[in-house]
Amino acid sequence: MARRCELSGKGVMSGNNVSHALNRTRRKFLPNLCSVTLMSEALGEGVKLKVSASALRTVEHRGGLDAYLLKAKDTELSPRALNVKKEVRKALAEAS
């Protein structure tokens, strides 16, 4: 299972632990991922996604999952999130 945010594309980064004596050893910086169920107003159902904490804050700031997906770039989204985005667009087109 990939350690990557399905909405923002944020993933594992590598770097160094640096001791007081400036010895460097390699390490991984893992994203703060949470498994959440986000409600889609257009679909009327919940969508389970693995999302970073910062992306979750951005979803709340933009006004929900639907607004976030419509504004997000397709290159950042996972294939699962892209399918949800297509369903949301379709539902909104049918509603109007």
Side-chain angles (χ1 to χ4, degrees), residues 35-51:
S35 294
V36 294
T37 303
L38 297 170
M39 289 301 296
S40 169
E41 295 171 6
L43 301 176
E45 59 186 32
V47 179
K48 287 186 81 169
L49 295 169
K50 235 168 116 175
V51 180

Side-chain angles (χ1 to χ4, degrees), residues 37-48 65-66 69 84 87-92 94-95:
T37 303
L38 297 170
M39 289 301 296
S40 169
E41 295 171 6
L43 301 176
E45 59 186 32
V47 179
K48 287 186 81 169
L65 179 64
D66 299 339
L69 288 174
V84 174
E87 290 176 23
V88 167
R89 275 199 179 137
K90 189 176 176 183
L92 291 174
E94 289 173 0

Side-chain angles (χ1 to χ4, degrees), residues 1-6 10-12 31 33 50:
M1 192 170 255
R3 293 182 217 159
R4 186 166 294 278
C5 174
E6 293 189 85
K10 189 176 283 195
V12 178
L33 295 179
K50 235 168 116 175

Side-chain angles (χ1 to χ4, degrees), residues 14-29:
S14 61
N16 292 310
N17 280 330
V18 181
S19 71
H20 184 67
L22 298 181
N23 297 326
R24 288 172 167 80
T25 55
R26 298 301 286 175
R27 64 160 291 182
K28 292 179 191 172
F29 292 95

Side-chain angles (χ1 to χ4, degrees), residues 48-60:
K48 287 186 81 169
L49 295 169
K50 235 168 116 175
V51 180
S52 66
S54 61
L56 194 56
R57 291 182 63 207
T58 307
V59 168
E60 292 296 321

